[in-house]
Amino acid sequence: MRLLTRVDYAEGSEGHGGFLTCHVLDTANGTPASGMRIELYRLNEDGPEYNNNNNKNGASAPRQRILIGSFVTNSDGRLGGPALSGTDFREGQYEWAFYVGDYFARHSSSRISGTPFLDVVPLRFGLDDPTEHYHVPLLASPWSYSTYRGS
């Protein structure tokens, strides 16, 4: 059993102190990804889609996605503040949706036309400590991306 499941946090109006941020870097042009649209979803395990396990192949049904917020990165490739904080910052599974195809269609110095190789990059991750800062950077080009848990 994880220790965090045994800790009783005294959650007040400000929450537990943890927060979620992100940063997007355009590795094709060597700049912050200014003006990229990003969406944040919480994956709900209690939704009807999640509990319906009657698929033909026996696989679990997908988790229900609940939109938490839509953002546009600033000139530094950041959101300008936490995407989640206070009482909104809860343990669970989340998904960022980075609209890299739209971004590179507008900002690429190379000739990109037609159907983008990468369009919307989904990134699923978990938050399990309500006292921590979770920072999720995305390094992206029109043809590749990478991420990690930052600090």
Side-chain angles (χ1 to χ4, degrees):
M1 176 183 288
R2 291 193 52 140
L3 178 60
L4 288 175
T5 61
R6 301 192 57 116
V7 176
D8 180 24
Y9 293 99
E11 183 173 345
S13 63
E14 299 300 315
H16 302 304
F19 57 102
L20 172 67
T21 58
C22 81
H23 188 195
V24 186
L25 298 172
D26 174 344
T27 59
N29 296 303
T31 62
S34 174
M36 183 182 290
R37 183 168 61 120
I38 304 171
E39 294 175 342
L40 178 63
Y41 296 89
R42 180 170 172 79
L43 304 180
N44 186 356
E45 295 181 4
D46 299 324
E49 293 179 35
Y50 184 77
N51 292 323
N52 179 6
N53 291 323
N54 297 325
N55 293 354
K56 292 178 184 176
N57 61 6
S60 295
R63 294 178 177 176
Q64 183 181 22
R65 293 170 64 212
I66 300 165
L67 180 64
I68 292 176
S70 294
F71 309 92
V72 176
T73 57
N74 63 20
S75 62
D76 194 32
R78 300 176 189 270
L79 303 183
L84 284 177
S85 63
T87 57
D88 293 331
F89 187 84
R90 302 184 316 196
E91 296 176 27
Q93 293 290 314
Y94 292 84
E95 178 179 305
W96 285 116
F98 296 93
Y99 287 80
V100 299
D102 291 345
Y103 169 82
F104 283 110
R106 291 188 321 271
H107 294 92
S108 183
S109 58
S110 62
R111 294 180 171 219
I112 297 175
S113 62
T115 303
F117 181 71
L118 293 176
D119 189 16
V120 179
V121 172
L123 177 59
R124 289 193 172 181
F125 60 98
L127 304 178
D128 70 351
D129 185 345
T131 66
E132 289 286 320
H133 172 199
Y134 287 80
H135 182 65
V136 183
L138 182 77
L139 289 72
S141 81
W143 309 279
S144 68
Y145 66 94
S146 178
T147 190
Y148 57 94
R149 180 174 174 193
S151 55

